[in-house]
Amino acid sequence: MLPTSHAPETFDYLIVGAGFAGCVLAERLASQLGLRVLLIDRRDHLGGNAYDCTDAAGVLVHRYGPHIFHTNAQKVVDYLSQFTRWRPYQHRVLADVQGQQLPMPINLTTINRLYGLSLDSAGAAAFLAARATALPELRSSRDVVVSQVGEELYRTFFEGYTRKQWGRDATELDKSVTARVPTRTDADDRYFQDRFQCMPLEGYTRMFERMVDHPNIRFLPDTDHAELGGTVRWRHLVYTGPVDEFFGYCFGPLPYRSLRFEHRTLDQEWLQPVAVVNYPAPEVPYTRITEYKHLTGQRHPRTSITHEYPTDQGDPYYPIPAPENAALYERYAQLAEQTPGVTFTGRLGTYRYYNMDQVVAQSLALFARIAQTAPAASGV
Ligand code: FAD
């Protein structure tokens, strides 16, 4: 509860948004500099999109879709390990195509099973090289894929999925969208190859709770920045919400792709062999199904799953990577630069798709900059 008296309570920092960006910064400011932090979120929980909770059946699920922690940054691992132990987990994804469920990213097994072949790695490399289309310049996300695996595999695995996921053709999307998806000619079927791949042992929310469990941090859920009014004062504002919303959409809204999550519990122990199965076919309305027990290691006689339906309406999840959107963001970024007393960070504050580890690194770097010039704690 916020104070309602005439004397507003004063904090050193107001942090808007209690996702990774906000929680990491709040924890650092409070524990390392002794500053008083008010952390607010308009949702009813900590953790932003990485929030997890136990559903009605008692299964630990991710409310905003599957979040798999992977990184090569030792510093990020060391930092988060203060607040959680880890469960080793290697993420695997299958794509449901032509009546089979095949490893994704495309690898040796994918090619052999799709075409009924028994190639070795060298054979798979030659197979792909023979199909790859040489292009003078890679302009779109379609070009990236076609130049690696050719038209047919592009159509089978990427075309429909990309259209559903982004609501536009891969030819209209920045090459960064598919540049992150590798193609392998060995049988490695791990989705990520980062050095460190794991899940927080007791879930993300438990980790966030430990991060903000500090006498200098006050967390207020169900609290929108726009509704704070004059009830509190702060010396500096860190805003991890949407930068365009902060400025009243003065240049127009930044385009985002959203998702509708359909969560269900089934009366069976397992549904699918891996945590995530993709559905690239255009006639299937969802893009993927997640089964959480694979991620969390939980044992339970029932299983909880989520279907993801991409949509233009709803919470802002994925900034749409297209040149005109980057140009629009640049106008907001310039306005943000000229706004004293406010720092914009996190994936919504900087209109960038970041993985969790990147957001942690971003907040740690921001904290290091603040610490260099930090005023003494206000003692309020
Ligand atoms: P968020 O988690 O979005 O937190 C921002 C918070 O700010 C939100 O809780 C919001 O309610 C709050 N807020 C916004 N405006 C206001 C306001 N005006 N007042 C009060 N509160 C406000 N990353 C990975 O590393 N691995 C994965 O497997 C992975 N899977 C993902 C799957 C999906 C479907 C999505 C959408 C993202 C995934 N990510 C994954 C990315 C990950 O979610 C982000 O890196 C991370 O959540 C970013 O943290 P953040 O704090 O910047 O933003």
Side-chain angles (χ1 to χ4, degrees), residues 86-367:
W86 299 99
R87 166 179 193 264
Y89 168 74
Q90 303 274 356
H91 192 47
R92 289 185 168 78
V93 175
L94 297 174
D96 190 282
V97 291
Q98 299 172 14
Q100 300 192 69
Q101 294 195 338
L102 303 175
M104 189 68 199
I106 293 169
N107 72 1
L108 177 64
T109 314
T110 315
I111 296 165
N112 279 338
R113 285 186 47 203
L114 187 65
Y115 293 102
L117 301 169
S118 47
L119 301 172
D120 59 12
S121 280
F127 180 95
L128 291 176
R131 278 156 185 79
T133 309
L135 296 170
E137 193 188 347
L138 303 184
R139 291 196 177 164
S140 66
S141 66
R142 176 191 173 280
D143 291 351
V144 173
V145 179
V146 168
S147 69
Q148 284 177 44
V149 301
E151 279 287 344
E152 191 175 310
L153 286 167
Y154 164 73
R155 277 200 298 275
T156 306
F157 289 95
F158 292 94
E159 189 177 50
Y161 193 92
T162 307
R163 185 168 270 289
K164 285 193 284 187
Q165 176 75 2
W166 295 100
R168 49 171 90 185
D169 198 78
T171 51
E172 300 164 52
L173 286 166
D174 195 273
K175 51 190 180 183
S176 62
V177 174
T178 41
R180 292 189 298 149
V181 184
T183 303
R184 306 191 185 122
T185 51
D186 59 17
D188 185 350
D189 63 347
R190 294 170 307 152
Y191 197 76
F192 305 113
Q193 288 185 315
D194 298 56
R195 208 153 51 84
F196 193 79
Q197 303 183 40
C198 54
M199 299 292 291
L201 192 61
E202 297 159 88
Y204 289 100
T205 303
R206 189 71 198 97
M207 179 181 78
F208 287 117
E209 285 167 354
R210 291 198 187 101
M211 285 167 100
V212 303
D213 181 17
H214 190 284
N216 285 358
I217 301 175
R218 171 105 59 95
F219 171 56
L220 291 179
D222 297 311
T223 305
D224 197 306
H225 174 238
E227 292 158 11
L228 268 186
T231 49
V232 280
R233 289 212 180 112
W234 54 87
R235 288 157 49 172
H236 196 97
L237 169 63
V238 174
Y239 193 82
T240 77
V243 62
D244 53 345
E245 184 183 325
F246 182 90
F247 290 112
Y249 306 102
C250 60
F251 303 129
L254 286 164
Y256 277 97
R257 195 69 174 150
S258 191
L259 293 168
R260 181 171 65 79
F261 298 105
E262 204 176 272
H263 302 288
R264 271 196 256 168
T265 301
L266 307 177
D267 284 325
Q268 59 195 69
E269 195 174 356
W270 294 104
L271 173 69
Q272 56 193 35
V274 293
V276 172
V277 177
N278 287 352
Y279 288 82
E283 59 276 15
V284 179
Y286 45 85
T287 45
R288 58 181 183 171
I289 300 177
T290 299
E291 185 173 28
Y292 294 101
K293 290 195 300 176
H294 291 286
L295 300 178
T296 60
Q298 185 180 5
R299 299 177 79 122
H300 197 287
R302 302 173 78 195
T303 194
S304 292
I305 60 167
T306 300
H307 290 70
E308 280 177 37
Y309 297 83
T311 162
D312 282 333
Q313 312 300 321
D315 284 354
Y317 288 134
Y318 299 109
I320 299 178
E324 66 276 17
N325 300 343
L328 181 57
Y329 168 66
E330 208 36 58
R331 298 181 70 191
Y332 282 110
Q334 280 173 18
L335 198 53
E337 278 281 305
Q338 294 154 15
T339 306
V342 189
T343 304
F344 294 84
T345 191
R347 62 181 194 100
L348 298 166
T350 55
Y351 193 62
R352 278 270 303 261
Y353 182 86
Y354 283 125
N355 282 323
M356 296 180 284
D357 63 322
Q358 294 171 304
V359 173
V360 174
Q362 189 190 37
S363 278
L364 292 177
L366 173 58
F367 170 73

